[in-house]
Amino acid sequence: MNSSGHMQLESLRFLLPTILGDVFRRWLDILLAGLIAVMGAYVWITWSWQPQYSTTACYAVMTKATSGYVTYSTSSVTYTVATTFKYLIDSDILQAEVADAMGVETLNGTISTELLEDTNILYLTVTSDSPEETYEIMNTVMDTYQALVDTVLGSLTLDVLEQPSVPTAPSNELDRTQTLVMAGGAAVAAVILLLALLSYQRDAIKTDIDFQEKLNIKRLATIPKERRKLTQGLRKKQKYLLINQYPISYQFTEAIEKLRASFEYRADKHDCKVILVTSTMANEGKSTVSMNLALSLAKTGSRVVFVDGDLRNPTTHSMLKLDKEIRGDLGEFLQGTCDFSDVIIQHHKPEMFLLVGRKKYDNAAELLGSHMMSVMVRELRNRADYIIIDTPPAGFMIDTEEVSSYADGVVLVVRQNDSPTKMVQDVLDSLEQTGIQVLGCVFNNVQAWGGAGSASYHEHSHHSRERS
């Protein structure tokens, strides 16, 4: 298989799960479309369906000269005579005679015939809107046809083999269940196809190849979507995925270790100690990624200070269940209303410290850009190997730009199939314009058939230019 074929297969590994994920996330819309179609079909059937009733009589077409007739005749003469009679019955002449006999201008029903091939057996069927009218038309036909036959054909007569009866059920009965199921199924299929097409056309970072070609930046790691086992689902749902909490899959833990190794290499190469972790929009997993990175660094013996700089929406206290340990709030310290010792918390590992808070601040950008924040970071540089600062999303807030004045580098978390590509590109350009070193991106919450953490064929085979 050539290079283009490998790239297409590689893209499919990522595209199919994202498309399916987009479709099934809209399961409620799909269900509603199906229900609306079913209700629409039910209304249409109720208002448009007109029941029709049919009754049938069976005759043997005979000549008056015939004695002891043979019902199933194969005589070509008899068949020809019967065919002529069929044409007479089907003609407008008979229907006009029947309408006149019933005292109406137009017959409210249809008269049809079927002649068994090579026989003189004729089936006469009348169909109308009501059982009583259907039976009345049939009786009128039986009373009228002989006078017409005598006038036109002369020698023919009909011997009744099967008498007609009053119909008890519509002859065009609809299978309502089947119709409703077909309508609902067609609507569901149409909505699924539409959602799949919209997902495919949506310009977001979906594959490793998208990551390389659209962002043109170093990918520090690919963090797979963690699939929760059924046994875990029976317990209380775990909101945050941390490598020091059970149960976490080997693939997730390994991806975090790869992130830590790539991060250390890039940080040492560019002499970065104070690192910002941000994202383009909310809910891309930057807080979980930054905390796992800090935990992994501390696990290897590095002295780490983790700062929950997302003062608009602090999450570290709930992530690590620190409510009882927090004496002061990071925002209060930056405002000068509490001491540093009230804010800093030593984590269960001696190499890791936390600066967190619980309150939300509308003036977060002002606090992060304050002199107190700058002094605090400068002091922490002497105490730690790495200072990881979780900052608000950079796509809408200027908080990250405020912190970038005293930080060395930044890591951008990009969730698969989430932020529009143009927004991610604009955030990267904006970060570079501040002069801060962009160490790379983390491809987060990635689904791919065959595993999301493996490097793509495209990555092994081509060396694209990267922002360094």
Side-chain angles (χ1 to χ4, degrees):
M1 185 179 294
N2 58 28
S3 174
S4 176
H6 279 291
M7 290 172 60
Q8 291 177 355
L9 286 176
E10 184 66 24
S11 293
L12 283 175
R13 289 181 55 240
F14 291 84
L15 281 175
L16 291 178
T18 59
I19 291 174
L20 291 175
D22 282 345
V23 169
F24 288 112
R25 271 194 295 272
R26 302 288 295 275
W27 66 269
L28 184 57
D29 295 334
I30 296 172
L31 179 61
L32 287 176
L35 291 175
I36 290 172
V38 168
M39 290 188 293
Y42 181 81
V43 171
W44 177 81
I45 291 173
T46 302
W47 286 96
S48 67
W49 179 65
Q50 177 64 46
Q52 298 287 299
Y53 296 87
S54 298
T55 186
T56 300
C58 181
Y59 302 94
V61 182
M62 308 295 295
T63 62
K64 291 181 179 179
T66 304
S67 60
Y69 64 85
V70 178
T71 303
Y72 293 95
S73 173
T74 58
S75 167
S76 61
V77 175
T78 305
Y79 178 68
T80 301
V81 171
T83 301
T84 304
F85 181 74
K86 177 183 185 306
Y87 289 149
L88 178 62
I89 295 292
D90 291 338
S91 69
D92 294 337
I93 298 174
L94 178 65
Q95 297 198 26
E97 290 289 334
V98 172
D100 185 62
M102 295 180 65
V104 296
E105 292 184 4
T106 304
L107 196 63
N108 184 30
T110 61
I111 303 171
S112 61
T113 59
E114 179 185 0
L115 181 63
L116 294 184
E117 188 175 357
D118 296 330
T119 72
N120 61 337
I121 302 301
L122 182 73
Y123 287 94
L124 177 64
T125 301
V126 173
T127 302
S128 186
D129 294 341
S130 71
E132 296 79 9
E133 191 171 19
T134 300
Y135 190 66
E136 182 183 359
I137 293 174
M138 174 64 80
N139 287 333
T140 305
V141 170
M142 296 175 69
D143 293 340
T144 304
Y145 82 89
Q146 191 62 59
L148 184 62
V149 167
D150 290 342
T151 302
V152 179
L153 298 176
S155 61
L156 289 183
T157 186
L158 297 183
D159 286 330
V160 180
L161 303 180
E162 180 182 329
Q163 291 284 355
S165 60
V166 178
T168 58
S171 58
N172 62 338
E173 185 69 63
L174 283 178
D175 188 340
R176 292 174 180 268
T177 301
Q178 181 181 9
T179 303
L180 297 179
V181 168
M182 290 177 62
V188 166
V191 173
I192 288 176
L193 287 175
L194 177 61
L195 291 174
L197 179 62
L198 293 175
S199 174
Y200 177 77
Q201 292 182 334
R202 183 169 181 267
D203 187 18
I205 307 302
K206 303 175 184 178
T207 71
D208 273 348
I209 295 175
D210 285 343
F211 205 100
Q212 310 242 346
E213 293 181 348
K214 295 180 180 180
L215 299 188
N216 191 28
I217 193 169
K218 175 68 177 178
R219 178 169 55 92
L220 296 176
T222 296
I223 310 298
K225 180 180 178 64
E226 181 75 341
R227 301 184 183 279
R228 303 179 189 276
K229 298 180 180 179
L230 178 62
T231 53
Q232 182 186 349
L234 298 176
R235 308 176 215 162
K236 185 178 180 180
K237 185 176 180 181
Q238 184 176 326
K239 185 176 181 181
Y240 300 100
L241 298 170
L242 300 178
I243 57 174
N244 64 342
Q245 294 181 1
Y246 179 84
I248 294 294
S249 70
Y250 170 77
Q251 289 78 12
F252 185 85
T253 303
E254 182 183 37
I256 296 298
E257 294 303 315
K258 288 181 179 179
L259 169 61
R260 188 258 312 156
S262 298
F263 168 82
E264 284 183 313
Y265 174 78
R266 297 283 290 178
D268 292 345
K269 177 181 177 181
H270 296 283
D271 194 24
C272 296
K273 178 175 284 192
V274 180
I275 312 296
L276 311 181
V277 180
T278 188
S279 60
T280 302
M281 297 195 302
N283 300 317
E284 293 198 66
K286 64 174 180 61
S287 296
T288 301
V289 170
S290 58
M291 177 55 69
N292 278 309
L293 174 59
L295 290 170
S296 183
L297 289 168
K299 183 179 176 182
T300 60
S302 297
R303 293 171 296 170
V304 180
V305 175
F306 181 88
V307 181
D308 190 348
D310 192 350
L311 299 180
R312 299 179 188 274
N313 185 34
T315 58
T316 303
H317 68 284
S318 59
M319 188 184 303
L320 299 178
K321 300 178 176 60
L322 299 174
D323 289 339
K324 295 181 180 180
E325 300 179 46
I326 295 178
R327 299 186 304 275
D329 199 89
L330 177 59
E332 295 174 347
F333 168 73
L334 296 177
Q335 291 174 330
T337 58
C338 73
D339 295 332
F340 183 74
S341 59
D342 295 328
V343 177
I344 192 165
I345 299 173
Q346 184 173 359
H347 200 40
H348 63 85
K349 288 184 175 294
E351 299 86 359
M352 186 170 176
F353 292 86
L354 307 171
L355 291 167
V356 300
R358 287 173 293 195
K359 298 180 182 179
K360 298 181 180 181
Y361 297 86
D362 294 332
N363 62 335
E366 177 184 343
L367 294 175
L368 293 175
S370 65
H371 176 70
M372 287 291 290
M373 183 72 176
S374 179
V375 171
M376 182 190 75
V377 172
R378 187 166 58 247
E379 177 63 26
L380 290 174
R381 283 180 180 271
N382 300 322
R383 301 187 183 185
D385 298 314
Y386 298 106
I387 303 169
I388 307 297
I389 305 178
D390 176 22
T391 62
F396 300 106
M397 309 296 180
I398 63 171
D399 305 27
T400 303
E401 295 183 12
E402 294 291 341
V403 185
S404 65
S405 60
Y406 46 79
D408 305 320
V410 62
V411 172
L412 182 67
V413 176
V414 179
R415 183 183 175 121
Q416 184 187 33
N417 195 32
D418 196 83
S419 299
T421 301
K422 184 62 168 57
M423 286 189 65
V424 181
Q425 292 170 337
D426 289 345
V427 166
L428 287 170
D429 291 339
S430 176
L431 291 172
E432 287 185 340
Q433 289 174 8
T434 66
I436 195 170
Q437 178 65 50
V438 181
L439 297 180
C441 291
V442 177
F443 199 16
N444 192 36
N445 202 51
V446 178
Q447 297 183 79
W449 287 351
S454 58
S456 68
Y457 173 86
H458 180 70
E459 185 178 3
H460 283 307
S461 304
H462 298 81
H463 297 284
S464 60
R465 290 176 301 150
E466 297 176 343
R467 302 170 193 244
S468 60

